[in-house]
Amino acid sequence: MNDATTLSRSSLAALVADLAAAGTRIVAPARAADGGVDYRGIASLDEAVLAGALPRRSLKEYFLPPTEPLLAWKQAGSDVELREVPTKPVPRVVLGARPCDAAAVDVLDKVMGWDYSDELWFGRREATTIVTIACDGGDASCFCTTVGLAPDATRGSDVLLVPAGDGYRAEVVTDKGRAFVAAHASCFVPGDASDTTAFRTAARAKVASNLTADPGKVRAWIDQNFANPLWDEIGLRCHGCGACAAVCPTCHCFDIVDEPDGLGSGVRRRNWDTCQASVFTAHASGHNPRHDQCARCRQRVSHKFAIYPARFADILCTGCGRCARACPGGQDLPEILARISAL
Amino acid sequence: MTELRELARKLLADGTVQIVIGYEEGPKCVRPSFARDAAGADRLIFDDRCAHDLAAYLSPRRLPVKRQGRVAVVLKGCDACALAGLVRESQIKREDVVVIGVRCGGVKADPRSPGPLSESNVADRCRGCTVRTPTHVDHIVGPETAGHPGPSSRDARIAEIEAMSQEARWKFWMGHFERCTRCNACRQVCPLCFCERCLQDKTQPQWLESSPHARANLAWHLTRAMHLAGRCVDCGECERACPVDIPLSLLNRKVAQVVAERFDHHPSDDPSVPAPVGTFSKEDAQEFIL
């Protein structure tokens, strides 16, 4: 599918206004009250921050929220009454997703639909149209080109917009994207007048210059080096804080807790969790198979670059670099990949 | 720098310590460093980007560090106050660690911010700092540097927040707490959050809801601030580590203001200075007891 159209900035504003008027929820990178950029609901294009730094948190929270109810319960004598919570997601459009964040959602489809199809995840997936904007190559922590993606990758997107002139060249990626463009045909002008080659080439080259590493080699090394001094060294600086997993677009582990909201009633919730926390693997007996931060760091790198590839033929990382930017201890995943590649 | 590297090399070579925890130039920015030989010692640096509080690595729960053997650690004055806290609260013995104090003229709030240290990028805790030269140390390195004049801009911010209506103040904090995903970065980087089992990890009973919704996040952050009353040394690590930029040090600062006012307690790098928590004094204000 490569039927390109052109979307001017003014048409994009009109498109947002149309969507808002129709009651469609629009999510875009936008300034939060404290000045930082998050993916959040917008009512007009003026609120969106479509270029510049990555939003603080990835897009994953729109498909796997940090916390969500699964069911409610009520005790009545010796009976327990279970009540379903509404799971019908509202239609929405993500505008200005970063390619690394859009790709992550597609990567996660594999585990979410693996031995059980997660209806909450896929419900939101189906209800959401992702319109991605190609990025200009980000900063020194970006490494999407190392994991098979690119600043203009289409993976996970329904429509890809590439900056061109005062607007965008719009590429339809999926049938959902085609339907979206068709539904707003007045905004998209057929034909692509602008050449985006220079933008794409420069962005790709910028990211590629950040890191030389071979994921195939990394995987092979991990498979052979469960016990290696490298893990001991990496674990030294790790605080076990979990900031990396919180901002990661592909870290998806969760905990399930029962939270009372009164006497004999409560809500069962699904909450984000992280393998970087000691309690993540703590057994009731007191034993902890991942007994220190070295083992937990090894787990995070292994899951992304060896375990997920082995199970799903896919890397559980889209090279967004958020973990490296967020780490208060200076742990740098690109550095680890480069070191392993050079061994 | 030469002074620091030579000292580290000597401590490692003569077997005084097996590891020196300091700072190094990382791939993107300055970061903690773990020197175990001469080559590692030669990577050590100290400059105005070294905001990290390395005392956090001294907690007995840090098994990978503990395994290395005897530790020497590079500490700024504020970090030395954290070490004193660990000693005061019987987490480590002072004689088990070699302290390399560094004279500090202030650090950047964000080590990655470009350009020289200035009034616009200096960490707020450095304004009016009184511990620029740590005293209870085994070695002291670095040149005398002019500090940054006070007062802390957070004191003005706290006054502003307190002047808000209750509704506006609630909105301000809930706006921040809504973003919290309970990643626990604030807790993990805190040198004084050393509990073997944190209150929020306990499930029987569950004192605090672990779900990252605003109600539970509020409970968590207020509880944490109270648990650090008279203990927080204002190293700023919780705020620096927060991936969603919650201004946590405003909470800790406010509590510290109250502790200073009520108990005349200020962070100190002297472990023998008693902490208000765990100290009974008949002179303590009691007018609130009916």
Side-chain angles (χ1 to χ4, degrees), chain B residues 94-198:
Chain B
R94 176 62 185 81
E95 59 271 26
D96 286 349
V97 55
V98 174
V99 178
I100 306 173
V102 280
R103 295 186 188 91
C104 174
V107 292
K108 292 176 178 177
D110 178 355
R112 292 164 300 188
S113 61
L117 184 69
S118 68
E119 287 306 315
S120 63
N121 64 17
V122 69
D124 191 63
R125 68 180 185 277
C126 304
R127 297 183 212 276
C129 172
T130 56
V131 288
R132 286 191 290 120
T133 301
T135 49
H136 290 67
V137 297
D138 299 300
H139 305 273
I140 183 90
V141 297
E144 292 276 1
T145 323
H148 287 263
S152 151
S153 68
R154 282 172 301 169
D155 293 345
R157 187 73 184 119
I158 288 167
E160 271 172 34
I161 294 168
E162 286 183 323
M164 289 177 182
S165 67
Q166 193 180 16
E167 197 187 358
R169 205 158 61 226
W170 178 257
K171 210 177 144 199
F172 170 82
W173 281 113
M174 290 316 254
H176 284 299
F177 293 147
E178 268 168 12
R179 292 199 305 278
C180 174
T181 62
R182 301 287 277 282
C183 70
N184 292 328
C186 50
R187 177 186 77 183
Q188 295 298 113
V189 297
C190 176
L192 275 311
C193 260
F194 53 65
C195 291
E196 178 84 47
R197 192 97 193 258
C198 175

Side-chain angles (χ1 to χ4, degrees), chain B:
Chain B
M1 215 83 89
T2 318
E3 195 186 2
L4 173 62
R5 289 176 182 171
E6 272 172 14
L7 175 60
R9 234 181 290 141
K10 181 180 160 295
L11 291 170
L12 289 165
D14 67 16
T16 308
V17 300
Q18 281 69 53
I19 187 165
V20 179
I21 305 178
Y23 301 90
E24 69 183 12
E25 198 64 62
K28 317 285 180 335
C29 187
V30 69
R31 66 176 179 182
S33 185
F34 303 85
R36 283 171 292 184
D37 52 26
D42 286 342
R43 280 200 302 271
L44 294 176
I45 58 170
F46 183 79
D47 59 33
D48 56 31
R49 298 170 300 158
C50 296
H52 324 60
D53 184 350
L54 303 179
Y57 290 109
L58 301 177
S59 154
R61 251 69 73 187
R62 297 298 179 112
L63 299 178
V65 173
K66 213 175 164 190
R67 271 203 303 270
Q68 305 298 318
R70 199 168 149 84
V71 176
V73 63
V74 176
L75 299 179
K76 306 183 290 294
C78 46
D79 311 334
C81 293
L83 168 71
L86 289 170
V87 175
R88 196 178 287 133
E89 299 181 15
S90 306
Q91 295 305 298
I92 55 171
K93 291 198 176 84
R94 176 62 185 81
E95 59 271 26
D96 286 349
V97 55
V98 174
V99 178
I100 306 173
V102 280
R103 295 186 188 91
C104 174
V107 292
K108 292 176 178 177
D110 178 355
R112 292 164 300 188
S113 61
L117 184 69
S118 68
E119 287 306 315
S120 63
N121 64 17
V122 69
D124 191 63
R125 68 180 185 277
C126 304
R127 297 183 212 276
C129 172
T130 56
V131 288
R132 286 191 290 120
T133 301
T135 49
H136 290 67
V137 297
D138 299 300
H139 305 273
I140 183 90
V141 297
E144 292 276 1
T145 323
H148 287 263
S152 151
S153 68
R154 282 172 301 169
D155 293 345
R157 187 73 184 119
I158 288 167
E160 271 172 34
I161 294 168
E162 286 183 323
M164 289 177 182
S165 67
Q166 193 180 16
E167 197 187 358
R169 205 158 61 226
W170 178 257
K171 210 177 144 199
F172 170 82
W173 281 113
M174 290 316 254
H176 284 299
F177 293 147
E178 268 168 12
R179 292 199 305 278
C180 174
T181 62
R182 301 287 277 282
C183 70
N184 292 328
C186 50
R187 177 186 77 183
Q188 295 298 113
V189 297
C190 176
L192 275 311
C193 260
F194 53 65
C195 291
E196 178 84 47
R197 192 97 193 258
C198 175
L199 181 79
Q200 77 154 333
D201 288 338
K202 291 181 181 171
T203 53
Q204 289 181 332
Q206 179 142 35
W207 298 101
L208 281 172
E209 292 168 324
S210 60
S211 305
H213 43 60
R215 177 186 71 208
N217 297 344
L218 169 80
W220 159 243
H221 289 293
L222 294 189
T223 302
R224 185 170 172 274
M226 293 310 293
H227 281 197
L228 285 163
R231 304 175 63 240
C232 171
V233 299
D234 198 18
C235 70
E237 284 293 80
C238 49
E239 191 165 302
R240 187 179 68 84
C242 179
V244 293
D245 306 324
I246 299 173
L248 292 166
S249 79
L250 288 177
L251 289 176
N252 296 120
R253 180 89 182 173
K254 172 61 193 168
V255 175
Q257 285 176 354
V258 175
V259 171
E261 187 191 315
R262 306 288 293 193
F263 303 99
D264 193 28
H265 176 81
H266 306 271
S268 166
D269 67 347
D270 179 355
S272 69
V273 169
V277 175
T279 307
F280 174 74
S281 166
K282 282 196 275 188
E283 279 69 53
D284 284 349
Q286 341 190 342
E287 82 282 359
F288 59 92
I289 302 173
L290 293 174

Side-chain angles (χ1 to χ4, degrees), chain A residues 57 237 241 259 292 325 332, chain B residues 32 57 67 179 183 211:
Chain A
R57 292 184 346 205
R237 70 174 61 258
C241 81
E259 225 168 57
D292 67 13
R325 288 183 209 100
D332 192 90
Chain B
Y57 290 109
R67 271 203 303 270
R179 292 199 305 278
C183 70
S211 305

Side-chain angles (χ1 to χ4, degrees), chain A residues 115-181:
Chain A
D115 56 345
Y116 158 82
S117 179
D118 191 299
E119 64 180 81
L120 293 166
W121 173 273
F122 287 107
R124 296 190 183 104
R125 284 286 277 135
E126 278 155 31
T128 308
T129 303
I130 301 180
V131 180
T132 301
I133 295 182
C135 102
D136 65 2
D139 68 15
S141 294
C142 292
F143 61 100
C144 60
T145 50
T146 302
V147 291
L149 295 165
D152 59 342
T154 56
R155 187 168 180 192
S157 305
D158 295 305
V159 178
L160 175 72
L161 305 180
V162 185
D166 78 327
Y168 303 92
R169 178 184 193 271
E171 284 177 29
V172 165
V173 181
T174 63
D175 288 337
K176 198 196 271 179
R178 185 184 307 285
F180 178 79
V181 170

